[in-house]
Amino acid sequence: MTRTVAHFGALHAVVANAGFAPADHPRTIADGDPELWAPMVLTNVLGPALLANAALPHLETTGGRLVLVGSVAGLKNSPANLYSATKWAVTGMAENLRMYATSRGVGVTLVNPGMTDTAFWQGGVPPFALSPGPVAEAICFALGQPAGVDLNTLTIRPVGQPA
């Protein structure tokens, strides 16, 4: 007797979109509170790595896509800013994962939003900040690429953001 097993709910796309800065942000490493740093580093760096670790075998099966949400802070240096350093780590991780995953049929995209109107700003949102909608559209654009296309990096900033 032959038995057929249906595979419902296969994983085709994963987005790592967690990240935050501690309450003392934007203080520097020189004057910030080290007691507040570990949760940020674990969320911003280890979180995407753990998600990739769990998802990659499934994405290989489906030829799926992995999107990591970084930040413009991971492209532009900010003096002694640990949040920025965590986003630099995401930038490096995205390229490292792309190099690994591309031969396995998995696309990897890094999306770097600039200043976006989210709770990140803790009440002090810059007046020119993006609404979250365009960032979500950029992520959807990356996920919607046709088979065989690996869109590697998207940076989206509001007009008016100098860095």
Side-chain angles (χ1 to χ4, degrees):
M1 178 172 140
T2 303
R3 185 172 167 203
T4 303
V5 178
H7 297 280
F8 295 100
L11 190 62
H12 295 274
V14 175
V15 179
N17 186 35
F20 79 99
D24 71 346
H25 182 270
R27 290 194 162 174
T28 68
I29 290 174
D31 63 2
D33 182 355
E35 294 291 323
L36 301 176
W37 297 344
M40 174 183 64
V41 173
L42 290 171
T43 300
N44 295 3
V45 181
L46 187 58
L50 291 171
L51 180 65
N53 175 263
L56 280 170
H58 303 284
L59 295 174
E60 287 180 30
T61 301
T62 62
R65 298 184 184 280
L66 170 64
V67 174
L68 302 179
V69 177
S71 173
V72 168
L75 303 174
K76 298 297 228 172
N77 283 306
S78 180
N81 184 307
L82 188 57
Y83 170 80
S84 179
T86 68
K87 291 305 185 172
W88 275 94
V90 173
T91 298
M93 185 185 322
E95 180 59 13
N96 281 247
L97 286 168
R98 186 203 63 77
M99 292 171 68
Y100 171 85
T102 193
S103 65
R104 292 163 170 80
V106 176
V108 177
T109 303
L110 173 66
V111 176
N112 292 309
M115 295 176 176
T116 306
D117 186 356
T118 66
F120 176 87
W121 298 102
Q122 301 171 13
V125 178
F128 51 81
L130 289 170
S131 72
V135 178
E137 289 173 16
I139 293 167
C140 289
F141 177 74
L143 292 172
Q145 293 303 300
V149 175
D150 192 6
L151 179 63
N152 302 136
T153 305
L154 290 171
T155 300
I156 177 170
R157 291 183 178 101
V159 171
Q161 180 175 340

